[in-house]
Amino acid sequence: GDSVTQMEGPVTLSEEAFLTINCTYTATGYPSLFWYVQYPGEGLQLLLKATKADDKGSNKGFEATYRKETTSFHLEKGSVQVSDSAVYFCALVQAAGNKLTFGGGTRVLVKP
Amino acid sequence: GAGVSQTPSNKVTEKGKYVELRCDPISGHTALYWYRQSLGQGPEFLIYFQGTGAADDSGLPNDRFFAVRPEGSVSTLKIQRTERGDSAVYLCASSFQGARETQYFGPGTRLLVL
């Protein structure tokens, strides 16, 4: 079945540091790929998505590129802020699928 | 506009009891999903509704779990004979039509079975 693997946290960074969270997936066909974020005390919300190979999703300074050849969708941000402290989830939906399949989540803590 | 809402926000029950968890999706969204999130893990799919019908219930762990959406809007997740292992956060999400669109999540119901 489909699966998503992302790097374990917690990831602790200083403000303005570069952030990368690795995400790889196993799926047949051409899934859509997503990054969701869960800020402290809040619900899951979509951060960005990509629907086909080589697409780049971007939002709030975060970027991720759909790499079919490496089955990856790594999340990056060039300069993090304290407000980026959250849990980040990589996820996929199959082309004809009915559900999101999530990775285990990566907790990110940004210190001032 | 209003987002997805879930009630109650917290539920504490005893082993063997019956519980109902409610989800109000975004108005006009035909697709509704239930997920379960255990501590330190990603959400896991339970069931998907398209309109009033359960189009995919492959994630329900056993027959103690059941969900309905009788009028194509509000949904209720029902758990019979609760077990301690059912303790988790139950998340509801909705999307306009299908799973490849943005799913909007509610705040979740935290269920604790003692």
PDB file of all heavy atoms in Angstrom, chain B residues 73-112:
ATOM      1  N   SER B  73     -24.604  16.441   5.279  1.00  0.00           N
ATOM      2  CA  SER B  73     -23.882  17.560   5.886  1.00  0.00           C
ATOM      3  C   SER B  73     -23.182  17.073   7.150  1.00  0.00           C
ATOM      4  O   SER B  73     -22.086  16.513   7.067  1.00  0.00           O
ATOM      5  CB  SER B  73     -24.832  18.709   6.186  1.00  0.00           C
ATOM      6  OG  SER B  73     -24.137  19.771   6.794  1.00  0.00           O
ATOM      7  N   VAL B  74     -23.844  17.198   8.296  1.00  0.00           N
ATOM      8  CA  VAL B  74     -23.275  16.763   9.570  1.00  0.00           C
ATOM      9  C   VAL B  74     -23.025  15.262   9.551  1.00  0.00           C
ATOM     10  O   VAL B  74     -23.802  14.481   8.993  1.00  0.00           O
ATOM     11  CB  VAL B  74     -24.228  17.128  10.717  1.00  0.00           C
ATOM     12  CG1 VAL B  74     -23.790  16.476  12.021  1.00  0.00           C
ATOM     13  CG2 VAL B  74     -24.333  18.635  10.860  1.00  0.00           C
ATOM     14  N   SER B  75     -21.907  14.877  10.170  1.00  0.00           N
ATOM     15  CA  SER B  75     -21.585  13.457  10.285  1.00  0.00           C
ATOM     16  C   SER B  75     -21.345  13.114  11.748  1.00  0.00           C
ATOM     17  O   SER B  75     -20.879  13.952  12.534  1.00  0.00           O
ATOM     18  CB  SER B  75     -20.338  13.120   9.474  1.00  0.00           C
ATOM     19  OG  SER B  75     -19.953  11.764   9.649  1.00  0.00           O
ATOM     20  N   THR B  76     -21.675  11.876  12.100  1.00  0.00           N
ATOM     21  CA  THR B  76     -21.436  11.384  13.451  1.00  0.00           C
ATOM     22  C   THR B  76     -20.623  10.100  13.368  1.00  0.00           C
ATOM     23  O   THR B  76     -20.979   9.179  12.626  1.00  0.00           O
ATOM     24  CB  THR B  76     -22.759  11.092  14.186  1.00  0.00           C
ATOM     25  OG1 THR B  76     -23.570  12.278  14.191  1.00  0.00           O
ATOM     26  CG2 THR B  76     -22.491  10.684  15.625  1.00  0.00           C
ATOM     27  N   LEU B  77     -19.544  10.061  14.108  1.00  0.00           N
ATOM     28  CA  LEU B  77     -18.743   8.845  14.260  1.00  0.00           C
ATOM     29  C   LEU B  77     -19.159   8.190  15.566  1.00  0.00           C
ATOM     30  O   LEU B  77     -19.160   8.832  16.615  1.00  0.00           O
ATOM     31  CB  LEU B  77     -17.254   9.178  14.283  1.00  0.00           C
ATOM     32  CG  LEU B  77     -16.282   8.010  14.465  1.00  0.00           C
ATOM     33  CD1 LEU B  77     -16.337   7.069  13.268  1.00  0.00           C
ATOM     34  CD2 LEU B  77     -14.858   8.519  14.661  1.00  0.00           C
ATOM     35  N   LYS B  78     -19.507   6.918  15.486  1.00  0.00           N
ATOM     36  CA  LYS B  78     -20.022   6.203  16.644  1.00  0.00           C
ATOM     37  C   LYS B  78     -19.077   5.069  16.995  1.00  0.00           C
ATOM     38  O   LYS B  78     -18.669   4.310  16.112  1.00  0.00           O
ATOM     39  CB  LYS B  78     -21.416   5.648  16.341  1.00  0.00           C
ATOM     40  CG  LYS B  78     -22.367   6.705  15.790  1.00  0.00           C
ATOM     41  CD  LYS B  78     -23.746   6.147  15.499  1.00  0.00           C
ATOM     42  CE  LYS B  78     -24.650   7.246  14.946  1.00  0.00           C
ATOM     43  NZ  LYS B  78     -26.068   6.831  14.910  1.00  0.00           N
ATOM     44  N   ILE B  79     -18.736   4.966  18.265  1.00  0.00           N
ATOM     45  CA  ILE B  79     -17.855   3.906  18.732  1.00  0.00           C
ATOM     46  C   ILE B  79     -18.565   3.151  19.833  1.00  0.00           C
ATOM     47  O   ILE B  79     -18.932   3.720  20.869  1.00  0.00           O
ATOM     48  CB  ILE B  79     -16.516   4.457  19.245  1.00  0.00           C
ATOM     49  CG1 ILE B  79     -15.886   5.416  18.226  1.00  0.00           C
ATOM     50  CG2 ILE B  79     -15.548   3.306  19.523  1.00  0.00           C
ATOM     51  CD1 ILE B  79     -14.624   6.109  18.723  1.00  0.00           C
ATOM     52  N   GLN B  80     -18.764   1.866  19.614  1.00  0.00           N
ATOM     53  CA  GLN B  80     -19.416   1.022  20.609  1.00  0.00           C
ATOM     54  C   GLN B  80     -18.359   0.317  21.458  1.00  0.00           C
ATOM     55  O   GLN B  80     -17.241   0.072  21.001  1.00  0.00           O
ATOM     56  CB  GLN B  80     -20.282  -0.033  19.905  1.00  0.00           C
ATOM     57  CG  GLN B  80     -21.393   0.535  19.064  1.00  0.00           C
ATOM     58  CD  GLN B  80     -22.171  -0.553  18.340  1.00  0.00           C
ATOM     59  OE1 GLN B  80     -21.606  -1.547  17.920  1.00  0.00           O
ATOM     60  NE2 GLN B  80     -23.466  -0.353  18.206  1.00  0.00           N
ATOM     61  N   ARG B  81     -18.737  -0.023  22.667  1.00  0.00           N
ATOM     62  CA  ARG B  81     -17.899  -0.846  23.563  1.00  0.00           C
ATOM     63  C   ARG B  81     -16.448  -0.358  23.520  1.00  0.00           C
ATOM     64  O   ARG B  81     -15.523  -1.097  23.164  1.00  0.00           O
ATOM     65  CB  ARG B  81     -17.974  -2.307  23.153  1.00  0.00           C
ATOM     66  CG  ARG B  81     -19.383  -2.853  23.097  1.00  0.00           C
ATOM     67  CD  ARG B  81     -19.408  -4.348  22.771  1.00  0.00           C
ATOM     68  NE  ARG B  81     -18.732  -4.663  21.512  1.00  0.00           N
ATOM     69  CZ  ARG B  81     -19.261  -4.521  20.310  1.00  0.00           C
ATOM     70  NH1 ARG B  81     -20.496  -4.041  20.182  1.00  0.00           N
ATOM     71  NH2 ARG B  81     -18.582  -4.857  19.227  1.00  0.00           N
ATOM     72  N   THR B  82     -16.271   0.918  23.867  1.00  0.00           N
ATOM     73  CA  THR B  82     -14.951   1.538  23.742  1.00  0.00           C
ATOM     74  C   THR B  82     -13.887   0.758  24.498  1.00  0.00           C
ATOM     75  O   THR B  82     -14.141   0.157  25.550  1.00  0.00           O
ATOM     76  CB  THR B  82     -14.971   2.980  24.238  1.00  0.00           C
ATOM     77  OG1 THR B  82     -15.529   3.023  25.565  1.00  0.00           O
ATOM     78  CG2 THR B  82     -15.769   3.868  23.321  1.00  0.00           C
ATOM     79  N   GLU B  83     -12.675   0.802  23.939  1.00  0.00           N
ATOM     80  CA  GLU B  83     -11.509   0.168  24.541  1.00  0.00           C
ATOM     81  C   GLU B  83     -10.444   1.238  24.764  1.00  0.00           C
ATOM     82  O   GLU B  83     -10.450   2.284  24.120  1.00  0.00           O
ATOM     83  CB  GLU B  83     -10.972  -0.923  23.614  1.00  0.00           C
ATOM     84  CG  GLU B  83     -11.972  -2.026  23.335  1.00  0.00           C
ATOM     85  CD  GLU B  83     -11.442  -3.065  22.370  1.00  0.00           C
ATOM     86  OE1 GLU B  83     -10.323  -2.906  21.856  1.00  0.00           O
ATOM     87  OE2 GLU B  83     -12.172  -4.065  22.133  1.00  0.00           O
ATOM     88  N   ARG B  84      -9.506   0.944  25.668  1.00  0.00           N
ATOM     89  CA  ARG B  84      -8.470   1.929  25.979  1.00  0.00           C
ATOM     90  C   ARG B  84      -7.666   2.290  24.730  1.00  0.00           C
ATOM     91  O   ARG B  84      -7.226   3.413  24.551  1.00  0.00           O
ATOM     92  CB  ARG B  84      -7.574   1.416  27.097  1.00  0.00           C
ATOM     93  CG  ARG B  84      -8.315   1.336  28.427  1.00  0.00           C
ATOM     94  CD  ARG B  84      -7.401   1.119  29.608  1.00  0.00           C
ATOM     95  NE  ARG B  84      -8.188   1.054  30.826  1.00  0.00           N
ATOM     96  CZ  ARG B  84      -8.720  -0.062  31.322  1.00  0.00           C
ATOM     97  NH1 ARG B  84      -8.521  -1.215  30.722  1.00  0.00           N
ATOM     98  NH2 ARG B  84      -9.444  -0.029  32.425  1.00  0.00           N
ATOM     99  N   GLY B  85      -7.505   1.334  23.848  1.00  0.00           N
ATOM    100  CA  GLY B  85      -6.770   1.578  22.607  1.00  0.00           C
ATOM    101  C   GLY B  85      -7.468   2.520  21.639  1.00  0.00           C
ATOM    102  O   GLY B  85      -6.863   2.934  20.644  1.00  0.00           O
ATOM    103  N   ASP B  86      -8.728   2.856  21.913  1.00  0.00           N
ATOM    104  CA  ASP B  86      -9.446   3.819  21.071  1.00  0.00           C
ATOM    105  C   ASP B  86      -9.072   5.254  21.422  1.00  0.00           C
ATOM    106  O   ASP B  86      -9.453   6.182  20.699  1.00  0.00           O
ATOM    107  CB  ASP B  86     -10.960   3.650  21.236  1.00  0.00           C
ATOM    108  CG  ASP B  86     -11.450   2.273  20.821  1.00  0.00           C
ATOM    109  OD1 ASP B  86     -10.772   1.629  19.991  1.00  0.00           O
ATOM    110  OD2 ASP B  86     -12.511   1.845  21.329  1.00  0.00           O
ATOM    111  N   SER B  87      -8.359   5.440  22.508  1.00  0.00           N
ATOM    112  CA  SER B  87      -7.954   6.786  22.915  1.00  0.00           C
ATOM    113  C   SER B  87      -7.078   7.414  21.843  1.00  0.00           C
ATOM    114  O   SER B  87      -6.055   6.831  21.441  1.00  0.00           O
ATOM    115  CB  SER B  87      -7.195   6.732  24.243  1.00  0.00           C
ATOM    116  OG  SER B  87      -8.023   6.249  25.279  1.00  0.00           O
ATOM    117  N   ALA B  88      -7.478   8.587  21.375  1.00  0.00           N
ATOM    118  CA  ALA B  88      -6.784   9.261  20.276  1.00  0.00           C
ATOM    119  C   ALA B  88      -7.503  10.580  20.027  1.00  0.00           C
ATOM    120  O   ALA B  88      -8.528  10.874  20.651  1.00  0.00           O
ATOM    121  CB  ALA B  88      -6.804   8.415  19.010  1.00  0.00           C
ATOM    122  N   VAL B  89      -6.970  11.350  19.085  1.00  0.00           N
ATOM    123  CA  VAL B  89      -7.686  12.522  18.589  1.00  0.00           C
ATOM    124  C   VAL B  89      -8.369  12.128  17.286  1.00  0.00           C
ATOM    125  O   VAL B  89      -7.730  11.609  16.369  1.00  0.00           O
ATOM    126  CB  VAL B  89      -6.733  13.708  18.357  1.00  0.00           C
ATOM    127  CG1 VAL B  89      -7.503  14.888  17.767  1.00  0.00           C
ATOM    128  CG2 VAL B  89      -6.057  14.114  19.656  1.00  0.00           C
ATOM    129  N   TYR B  90      -9.670  12.360  17.220  1.00  0.00           N
ATOM    130  CA  TYR B  90     -10.440  12.036  16.030  1.00  0.00           C
ATOM    131  C   TYR B  90     -10.654  13.323  15.242  1.00  0.00           C
ATOM    132  O   TYR B  90     -11.241  14.290  15.741  1.00  0.00           O
ATOM    133  CB  TYR B  90     -11.758  11.370  16.414  1.00  0.00           C
ATOM    134  CG  TYR B  90     -11.511   9.979  16.934  1.00  0.00           C
ATOM    135  CD1 TYR B  90     -11.114   9.780  18.256  1.00  0.00           C
ATOM    136  CD2 TYR B  90     -11.614   8.870  16.104  1.00  0.00           C
ATOM    137  CE1 TYR B  90     -10.837   8.504  18.739  1.00  0.00           C
ATOM    138  CE2 TYR B  90     -11.338   7.594  16.571  1.00  0.00           C
ATOM    139  CZ  TYR B  90     -10.945   7.418  17.887  1.00  0.00           C
ATOM    140  OH  TYR B  90     -10.661   6.158  18.353  1.00  0.00           O
ATOM    141  N   LEU B  91     -10.157  13.313  14.011  1.00  0.00           N
ATOM    142  CA  LEU B  91     -10.182  14.491  13.151  1.00  0.00           C
ATOM    143  C   LEU B  91     -11.210  14.317  12.051  1.00  0.00           C
ATOM    144  O   LEU B  91     -11.340  13.241  11.476  1.00  0.00           O
ATOM    145  CB  LEU B  91      -8.811  14.705  12.508  1.00  0.00           C
ATOM    146  CG  LEU B  91      -7.638  14.963  13.446  1.00  0.00           C
ATOM    147  CD1 LEU B  91      -6.333  14.937  12.670  1.00  0.00           C
ATOM    148  CD2 LEU B  91      -7.800  16.279  14.163  1.00  0.00           C
ATOM    149  N   CYS B  92     -11.906  15.389  11.771  1.00  0.00           N
ATOM    150  CA  CYS B  92     -12.833  15.421  10.651  1.00  0.00           C
ATOM    151  C   CYS B  92     -12.312  16.439   9.644  1.00  0.00           C
ATOM    152  O   CYS B  92     -11.733  17.467  10.032  1.00  0.00           O
ATOM    153  CB  CYS B  92     -14.220  15.811  11.145  1.00  0.00           C
ATOM    154  SG  CYS B  92     -15.449  15.977   9.844  1.00  0.00           S
ATOM    155  N   ALA B  93     -12.502  16.159   8.381  1.00  0.00           N
ATOM    156  CA  ALA B  93     -12.101  17.084   7.331  1.00  0.00           C
ATOM    157  C   ALA B  93     -13.173  17.098   6.256  1.00  0.00           C
ATOM    158  O   ALA B  93     -13.934  16.134   6.111  1.00  0.00           O
ATOM    159  CB  ALA B  93     -10.756  16.679   6.724  1.00  0.00           C
ATOM    160  N   SER B  94     -13.237  18.186   5.510  1.00  0.00           N
ATOM    161  CA  SER B  94     -14.153  18.231   4.372  1.00  0.00           C
ATOM    162  C   SER B  94     -13.445  18.884   3.188  1.00  0.00           C
ATOM    163  O   SER B  94     -12.485  19.649   3.357  1.00  0.00           O
ATOM    164  CB  SER B  94     -15.445  18.978   4.715  1.00  0.00           C
ATOM    165  OG  SER B  94     -15.233  20.373   4.881  1.00  0.00           O
ATOM    166  N   SER B  95     -13.910  18.548   2.001  1.00  0.00           N
ATOM    167  CA  SER B  95     -13.424  19.196   0.789  1.00  0.00           C
ATOM    168  C   SER B  95     -14.593  19.404  -0.151  1.00  0.00           C
ATOM    169  O   SER B  95     -15.634  18.753  -0.008  1.00  0.00           O
ATOM    170  CB  SER B  95     -12.314  18.376   0.117  1.00  0.00           C
ATOM    171  OG  SER B  95     -12.802  17.144  -0.358  1.00  0.00           O
ATOM    172  N   PHE B  96     -14.411  20.269  -1.130  1.00  0.00           N
ATOM    173  CA  PHE B  96     -15.529  20.660  -1.988  1.00  0.00           C
ATOM    174  C   PHE B  96     -16.140  19.455  -2.704  1.00  0.00           C
ATOM    175  O   PHE B  96     -17.352  19.261  -2.711  1.00  0.00           O
ATOM    176  CB  PHE B  96     -15.075  21.715  -2.979  1.00  0.00           C
ATOM    177  CG  PHE B  96     -16.173  22.215  -3.874  1.00  0.00           C
ATOM    178  CD1 PHE B  96     -17.319  22.799  -3.347  1.00  0.00           C
ATOM    179  CD2 PHE B  96     -16.076  22.091  -5.247  1.00  0.00           C
ATOM    180  CE1 PHE B  96     -18.340  23.253  -4.164  1.00  0.00           C
ATOM    181  CE2 PHE B  96     -17.097  22.551  -6.075  1.00  0.00           C
ATOM    182  CZ  PHE B  96     -18.224  23.126  -5.535  1.00  0.00           C
ATOM    183  N   GLN B  97     -15.242  18.651  -3.305  1.00  0.00           N
ATOM    184  CA  GLN B  97     -15.768  17.500  -4.035  1.00  0.00           C
ATOM    185  C   GLN B  97     -15.013  16.210  -3.769  1.00  0.00           C
ATOM    186  O   GLN B  97     -15.624  15.170  -3.579  1.00  0.00           O
ATOM    187  CB  GLN B  97     -15.755  17.792  -5.547  1.00  0.00           C
ATOM    188  CG  GLN B  97     -16.810  18.774  -5.994  1.00  0.00           C
ATOM    189  CD  GLN B  97     -16.855  18.931  -7.496  1.00  0.00           C
ATOM    190  OE1 GLN B  97     -15.828  18.897  -8.155  1.00  0.00           O
ATOM    191  NE2 GLN B  97     -18.040  19.090  -8.052  1.00  0.00           N
ATOM    192  N   GLY B  98     -13.662  16.274  -3.787  1.00  0.00           N
ATOM    193  CA  GLY B  98     -12.920  15.034  -3.707  1.00  0.00           C
ATOM    194  C   GLY B  98     -11.613  15.169  -2.956  1.00  0.00           C
ATOM    195  O   GLY B  98     -11.207  16.245  -2.551  1.00  0.00           O
ATOM    196  N   ALA B  99     -10.956  14.023  -2.789  1.00  0.00           N
ATOM    197  CA  ALA B  99      -9.783  13.943  -1.915  1.00  0.00           C
ATOM    198  C   ALA B  99      -8.569  14.662  -2.468  1.00  0.00           C
ATOM    199  O   ALA B  99      -7.684  15.043  -1.705  1.00  0.00           O
ATOM    200  CB  ALA B  99      -9.446  12.488  -1.631  1.00  0.00           C
ATOM    201  N   ARG B 100      -8.484  14.860  -3.779  1.00  0.00           N
ATOM    202  CA  ARG B 100      -7.300  15.514  -4.327  1.00  0.00           C
ATOM    203  C   ARG B 100      -7.368  17.030  -4.145  1.00  0.00           C
ATOM    204  O   ARG B 100      -6.393  17.724  -4.358  1.00  0.00           O
ATOM    205  CB  ARG B 100      -7.130  15.149  -5.796  1.00  0.00           C
ATOM    206  CG  ARG B 100      -6.608  13.733  -5.993  1.00  0.00           C
ATOM    207  CD  ARG B 100      -6.655  13.318  -7.435  1.00  0.00           C
ATOM    208  NE  ARG B 100      -5.734  14.044  -8.287  1.00  0.00           N
ATOM    209  CZ  ARG B 100      -4.482  13.668  -8.510  1.00  0.00           C
ATOM    210  NH1 ARG B 100      -3.991  12.620  -7.892  1.00  0.00           N
ATOM    211  NH2 ARG B 100      -3.705  14.346  -9.316  1.00  0.00           N
ATOM    212  N   GLU B 101      -8.515  17.529  -3.726  1.00  0.00           N
ATOM    213  CA  GLU B 101      -8.632  18.952  -3.416  1.00  0.00           C
ATOM    214  C   GLU B 101      -8.175  19.183  -1.976  1.00  0.00           C
ATOM    215  O   GLU B 101      -7.994  18.242  -1.204  1.00  0.00           O
ATOM    216  CB  GLU B 101     -10.079  19.394  -3.568  1.00  0.00           C
ATOM    217  CG  GLU B 101     -10.641  19.158  -4.947  1.00  0.00           C
ATOM    218  CD  GLU B 101     -12.138  19.334  -4.978  1.00  0.00           C
ATOM    219  OE1 GLU B 101     -12.749  19.452  -3.907  1.00  0.00           O
ATOM    220  OE2 GLU B 101     -12.700  19.345  -6.064  1.00  0.00           O
ATOM    221  N   THR B 102      -8.023  20.431  -1.631  1.00  0.00           N
ATOM    222  CA  THR B 102      -7.627  20.763  -0.273  1.00  0.00           C
ATOM    223  C   THR B 102      -8.661  20.245   0.718  1.00  0.00           C
ATOM    224  O   THR B 102      -9.853  20.514   0.573  1.00  0.00           O
ATOM    225  CB  THR B 102      -7.480  22.273  -0.107  1.00  0.00           C
ATOM    226  OG1 THR B 102      -6.466  22.732  -1.002  1.00  0.00           O
ATOM    227  CG2 THR B 102      -7.091  22.627   1.327  1.00  0.00           C
ATOM    228  N   GLN B 103      -8.197  19.478   1.682  1.00  0.00           N
ATOM    229  CA  GLN B 103      -9.058  19.036   2.772  1.00  0.00           C
ATOM    230  C   GLN B 103      -8.881  20.010   3.937  1.00  0.00           C
ATOM    231  O   GLN B 103      -7.756  20.291   4.355  1.00  0.00           O
ATOM    232  CB  GLN B 103      -8.698  17.611   3.186  1.00  0.00           C
ATOM    233  CG  GLN B 103      -9.022  16.582   2.117  1.00  0.00           C
ATOM    234  CD  GLN B 103      -8.818  15.157   2.568  1.00  0.00           C
ATOM    235  OE1 GLN B 103      -8.945  14.836   3.747  1.00  0.00           O
ATOM    236  NE2 GLN B 103      -8.516  14.284   1.625  1.00  0.00           N
ATOM    237  N   TYR B 104      -9.995  20.487   4.454  1.00  0.00           N
ATOM    238  CA  TYR B 104      -9.999  21.429   5.574  1.00  0.00           C
ATOM    239  C   TYR B 104     -10.343  20.659   6.839  1.00  0.00           C
ATOM    240  O   TYR B 104     -11.393  20.016   6.902  1.00  0.00           O
ATOM    241  CB  TYR B 104     -10.996  22.561   5.334  1.00  0.00           C
ATOM    242  CG  TYR B 104     -10.638  23.414   4.147  1.00  0.00           C
ATOM    243  CD1 TYR B 104     -11.060  23.067   2.867  1.00  0.00           C
ATOM    244  CD2 TYR B 104      -9.863  24.555   4.304  1.00  0.00           C
ATOM    245  CE1 TYR B 104     -10.711  23.840   1.767  1.00  0.00           C
ATOM    246  CE2 TYR B 104      -9.513  25.333   3.203  1.00  0.00           C
ATOM    247  CZ  TYR B 104      -9.936  24.966   1.946  1.00  0.00           C
ATOM    248  OH  TYR B 104      -9.587  25.726   0.865  1.00  0.00           O
ATOM    249  N   PHE B 105      -9.458  20.750   7.803  1.00  0.00           N
ATOM    250  CA  PHE B 105      -9.602  19.949   9.014  1.00  0.00           C
ATOM    251  C   PHE B 105     -10.254  20.733  10.146  1.00  0.00           C
ATOM    252  O   PHE B 105     -10.026  21.942  10.302  1.00  0.00           O
ATOM    253  CB  PHE B 105      -8.229  19.454   9.482  1.00  0.00           C
ATOM    254  CG  PHE B 105      -7.712  18.296   8.689  1.00  0.00           C
ATOM    255  CD1 PHE B 105      -7.113  18.484   7.454  1.00  0.00           C
ATOM    256  CD2 PHE B 105      -7.861  16.998   9.167  1.00  0.00           C
ATOM    257  CE1 PHE B 105      -6.653  17.404   6.718  1.00  0.00           C
ATOM    258  CE2 PHE B 105      -7.399  15.918   8.435  1.00  0.00           C
ATOM    259  CZ  PHE B 105      -6.792  16.125   7.213  1.00  0.00           C
ATOM    260  N   GLY B 106     -11.001  20.017  10.955  1.00  0.00           N
ATOM    261  CA  GLY B 106     -11.511  20.557  12.190  1.00  0.00           C
ATOM    262  C   GLY B 106     -10.474  20.456  13.293  1.00  0.00           C
ATOM    263  O   GLY B 106      -9.404  19.868  13.094  1.00  0.00           O
ATOM    264  N   PRO B 107     -10.783  20.994  14.471  1.00  0.00           N
ATOM    265  CA  PRO B 107      -9.826  20.997  15.581  1.00  0.00           C
ATOM    266  C   PRO B 107      -9.673  19.635  16.249  1.00  0.00           C
ATOM    267  O   PRO B 107      -8.731  19.438  17.017  1.00  0.00           O
ATOM    268  CB  PRO B 107     -10.422  22.017  16.551  1.00  0.00           C
ATOM    269  CG  PRO B 107     -11.882  21.973  16.259  1.00  0.00           C
ATOM    270  CD  PRO B 107     -12.021  21.720  14.791  1.00  0.00           C
ATOM    271  N   GLY B 108     -10.580  18.708  15.957  1.00  0.00           N
ATOM    272  CA  GLY B 108     -10.471  17.375  16.522  1.00  0.00           C
ATOM    273  C   GLY B 108     -11.235  17.198  17.817  1.00  0.00           C
ATOM    274  O   GLY B 108     -11.563  18.170  18.512  1.00  0.00           O
ATOM    275  N   THR B 109     -11.566  15.945  18.093  1.00  0.00           N
ATOM    276  CA  THR B 109     -12.104  15.551  19.394  1.00  0.00           C
ATOM    277  C   THR B 109     -11.090  14.631  20.048  1.00  0.00           C
ATOM    278  O   THR B 109     -10.718  13.606  19.482  1.00  0.00           O
ATOM    279  CB  THR B 109     -13.446  14.807  19.257  1.00  0.00           C
ATOM    280  OG1 THR B 109     -14.434  15.691  18.750  1.00  0.00           O
ATOM    281  CG2 THR B 109     -13.884  14.261  20.612  1.00  0.00           C
ATOM    282  N   ARG B 110     -10.661  15.027  21.230  1.00  0.00           N
ATOM    283  CA  ARG B 110      -9.702  14.196  21.971  1.00  0.00           C
ATOM    284  C   ARG B 110     -10.491  13.216  22.820  1.00  0.00           C
ATOM    285  O   ARG B 110     -11.214  13.626  23.737  1.00  0.00           O
ATOM    286  CB  ARG B 110      -8.802  15.060  22.841  1.00  0.00           C
ATOM    287  CG  ARG B 110      -7.676  14.289  23.525  1.00  0.00           C
ATOM    288  CD  ARG B 110      -6.749  15.243  24.269  1.00  0.00           C
ATOM    289  NE  ARG B 110      -6.138  16.226  23.379  1.00  0.00           N
ATOM    290  CZ  ARG B 110      -5.037  16.026  22.684  1.00  0.00           C
ATOM    291  NH1 ARG B 110      -4.405  14.868  22.765  1.00  0.00           N
ATOM    292  NH2 ARG B 110      -4.536  16.976  21.927  1.00  0.00           N
ATOM    293  N   LEU B 111     -10.378  11.929  22.509  1.00  0.00           N
ATOM    294  CA  LEU B 111     -11.110  10.884  23.228  1.00  0.00           C
ATOM    295  C   LEU B 111     -10.159  10.152  24.159  1.00  0.00           C
ATOM    296  O   LEU B 111      -9.102   9.684  23.736  1.00  0.00           O
ATOM    297  CB  LEU B 111     -11.727   9.882  22.250  1.00  0.00           C
ATOM    298  CG  LEU B 111     -12.421   8.671  22.874  1.00  0.00           C
ATOM    299  CD1 LEU B 111     -13.657   9.114  23.660  1.00  0.00           C
ATOM    300  CD2 LEU B 111     -12.801   7.651  21.808  1.00  0.00           C
ATOM    301  N   LEU B 112     -10.552  10.044  25.411  1.00  0.00           N
ATOM    302  CA  LEU B 112      -9.779   9.305  26.403  1.00  0.00           C
ATOM    303  C   LEU B 112     -10.674   8.234  26.987  1.00  0.00           C
ATOM    304  O   LEU B 112     -11.733   8.544  27.538  1.00  0.00           O
ATOM    305  CB  LEU B 112      -9.265  10.223  27.504  1.00  0.00           C
ATOM    306  CG  LEU B 112      -8.486   9.549  28.636  1.00  0.00           C
ATOM    307  CD1 LEU B 112      -7.252   8.845  28.098  1.00  0.00           C
ATOM    308  CD2 LEU B 112      -8.116  10.547  29.718  1.00  0.00           C
TER     309      LEU B 112
END
